[in-house]
Amino acid sequence: MSFDIDKIRKDTPYCSDKLFLNSAGSSLMSTVVVDKVEEYLEAEQQLGGYKVKDTRNDEIDELYDEAARLINCEPRNIAFTHDATDAYGKALSSIDFKPGDKIITSNDDYISNQINFLSLQKRYGIEIIRGNNLENGDLDLDHFDKLIRENNPRLVAITHIPTNSGLVQDVEAVGQICEKYDRLYLVDACQSVGQIPVNVKKIKCDFLSTTGRKYLRGPRGTGFLFVSDKAFQSDYAPLFIDMRGADWTAKDSYKVRSDAKRFETWESPYALIIGLKEAIKYANTVGIEAIDNYNQQIVSELRDLMASIPGVNVYDKGSTTCSLVTFTKDGKSLIETENHLSQNNVFYSVTDVSSARIDFAKKGIEWAIRLSPHYFNTSDEMKRVADVIREM
């Protein structure tokens, strides 16, 4: 369908009674997503989960087709996961780390990823190396190239869009560096898939993780993992693998699946899988380029409006930013800011320093409000939320 904001808002009925700007947290699902989940659960209520799954395999398999279409790969490269961190952890678990191995990452990687790296450091004695940022907030690609060339890392890991900022990191440029030095490359795309184009062939990553609940507008408890053909050929498989991911071929042996489903587990929430499929299908039908263009328009309007408000500090750096704005207002505490936004029916989220130890230390802040509009929002809503902030 062509980009029709009236239809999109009609398909998102609960976007009209509030100023909803929290798609970077957990977005609003469309009616078709909710209807499909409820219909599947009703069928399970009537027939039991086994019977329903047996009769709906073709529909369930559409998830892999839609996800592959969205990020430009083949269905065999897609594994359903329970969330982005589940996907990310499964990818990490497939790597046979040894003491002294190195992970090169950025200062802006997601909190859970940073904790994962520290856990690997504690257990296996790996080394964590973080690339520098340029003054404008971008990743210093020359420094990154040097780090990879000189350290021969076991893994390069980058978060496409951090949780604490609207910064978009240049994952495609990093992919070119990784290809040049033949390094394993993992991308966290949980805040980019669904709001901007993500093309794994251009990124050249071995793994890419994402979630359903954010900009894809799917149910919570869903996500997916991209696994490259190169990773299959190199025999990467999760540490804990069950009968979904492998066949028990003899008493003391098993054979791993040839596709990304080796990263799945047998027990899955099929009603939610159907919901995620419908959410991705909806985004594909609208068109990710159209979504990106619209998002850039409304978030640019919001940033311009915020810049005109005395005392407002916007913290998003980078030559490329996205549909996520972080801010504070001079003289207003977190409690005061939250109370004012909530009283005016603004839906938002908060990032505090515990999720952004490196970035927030540089910025000299303890917290920031996140506003994350999406393609069901309007220019008028950007003006209204700016007026709310101005009145604070």
Side-chain angles (χ1 to χ4, degrees), residues 176-390:
Q176 291 173 0
I177 298 171
C178 290
E179 183 180 51
K180 179 168 65 173
Y181 297 113
D182 192 23
R183 294 296 90 196
L184 193 67
Y185 184 28
L186 167 60
V187 174
D188 178 341
C190 75
Q191 296 207 142
S192 55
V193 172
Q195 71 150 317
I196 64 176
V198 174
N199 186 330
V200 292
K201 289 183 180 176
K202 291 183 178 179
I203 296 172
K204 302 178 185 297
C205 54
D206 298 288
F207 300 101
L208 181 142
S209 61
T210 195
T211 186
R213 66 180 161 85
K214 293 177 181 275
Y215 292 96
L216 276 176
R217 303 176 59 205
R220 294 195 73 172
T222 63
F224 66 82
L225 174 68
F226 161 80
V227 185
S228 70
D229 289 340
K230 179 184 172 184
F232 298 148
Q233 293 159 8
S234 300
D235 235 9
Y236 285 98
L239 177 60
F240 298 107
I241 188 166
D242 81 351
M243 61 184 182
R244 172 68 165 170
D247 292 326
W248 193 18
T249 55
K251 178 184 175 183
D252 294 317
S253 64
Y254 64 90
K255 182 179 180 181
V256 176
R257 290 184 64 125
S258 61
D259 59 13
K261 292 186 181 71
R262 65 177 64 180
F263 286 86
E264 296 184 352
T265 53
W266 185 84
E267 182 56 41
S268 293
Y270 289 105
L272 298 184
I273 288 175
I274 293 291
L276 178 61
K277 180 263 294 185
E278 289 295 331
I280 300 173
K281 184 177 181 180
Y282 193 95
N284 281 334
T285 302
V286 175
I288 193 61
E289 288 80 11
I291 291 171
D292 180 35
N293 289 337
Y294 184 83
N295 280 346
Q296 287 184 28
Q297 172 192 324
I298 60 171
V299 79
S300 292
E301 293 172 4
L302 178 60
R303 289 186 192 281
D304 289 344
L305 289 164
M306 299 279 279
S308 71
I309 303 173
V312 166
N313 310 290
V314 176
Y315 296 103
D316 308 300
K317 289 189 171 185
S319 57
T320 303
T321 54
C322 67
S323 202
L324 198 167
V325 180
T326 56
F327 80 96
T328 62
K329 191 169 186 182
D330 291 344
K332 298 298 177 182
S333 68
L334 176 57
I335 292 175
E336 290 173 315
T337 305
E338 288 198 275
N339 285 342
H340 183 77
L341 293 174
S342 297
Q343 287 165 8
N344 285 275
N345 212 22
V346 178
F347 284 59
Y348 61 93
S349 57
V350 179
T351 296
D352 66 28
V353 68
S354 67
S355 294
R357 290 288 177 189
I358 300 171
D359 183 51
F360 278 15
K362 290 180 182 177
K363 293 172 178 174
I365 56 176
E366 292 291 318
W367 57 271
I369 299 292
R370 296 193 316 174
L371 300 179
S372 47
H374 205 11
Y375 66 102
F376 53 77
N377 290 119
T378 65
S379 294
D380 178 67
E381 288 177 330
M382 301 305 101
K383 295 172 185 174
R384 287 163 56 196
V385 77
D387 286 343
V388 169
I389 295 166
R390 185 176 286 108

Side-chain angles (χ1 to χ4, degrees), residues 85 88 92 105-119 128 130 159 161-164 188 190-191 213-214 350-359 370:
T85 302
Y88 201 90
L92 282 178
T105 186
S106 76
N107 291 317
D108 295 290
D109 261 49
Y110 179 53
I111 172 179
S112 292
N113 304 345
Q114 299 276 11
I115 292 171
N116 281 334
F117 303 153
L118 292 169
S119 177
I128 305 164
R130 298 181 177 92
T159 294
I161 297 172
T163 189
N164 51 284
D188 178 341
C190 75
Q191 296 207 142
R213 66 180 161 85
K214 293 177 181 275
V350 179
T351 296
D352 66 28
V353 68
S354 67
S355 294
R357 290 288 177 189
I358 300 171
D359 183 51
R370 296 193 316 174

Side-chain angles (χ1 to χ4, degrees), residues 2-130:
S2 60
F3 193 92
D4 183 343
I5 186 62
D6 292 331
K7 183 181 187 315
I8 291 166
R9 286 178 68 81
K10 182 179 179 181
D11 292 341
T12 316
Y14 296 102
C15 71
S16 300
D17 62 350
K18 60 182 74 68
L19 289 170
F20 189 90
L21 290 98
N22 194 20
S23 288
S26 187
S27 193
L28 298 179
M29 291 182 285
S30 68
T31 300
V32 66
V33 171
V34 176
D35 287 350
K36 284 288 187 178
V37 173
E38 289 180 346
E39 183 269 333
Y40 193 96
L41 287 174
E42 185 177 350
E44 285 192 340
Q45 182 184 31
Q46 295 172 3
L47 303 174
Y50 279 23
K51 182 65 174 178
V52 177
K53 198 271 181 182
D54 288 344
T55 60
R56 304 282 282 274
N57 280 322
D58 289 346
E59 187 178 1
I60 291 165
D61 285 344
E62 289 176 17
L63 168 70
Y64 305 95
D65 299 325
E66 294 293 344
R69 178 184 168 195
L70 182 67
I71 65 170
N72 194 25
C73 66
E74 298 301 322
R76 68 174 179 272
N77 299 113
I78 299 294
F80 170 79
T81 61
H82 300 282
D83 53 61
T85 302
D86 177 43
Y88 201 90
K90 285 176 175 175
L92 282 178
S93 81
S94 73
I95 304 168
D96 187 19
F97 287 105
K98 298 289 193 301
D101 282 347
K102 298 174 181 179
I103 293 177
I104 293 181
T105 186
S106 76
N107 291 317
D108 295 290
D109 261 49
Y110 179 53
I111 172 179
S112 292
N113 304 345
Q114 299 276 11
I115 292 171
N116 281 334
F117 303 153
L118 292 169
S119 177
L120 288 168
Q121 183 182 63
K122 183 177 180 180
R123 178 165 294 193
Y124 294 112
I126 68 163
E127 183 179 352
I128 305 164
I129 302 172
R130 298 181 177 92

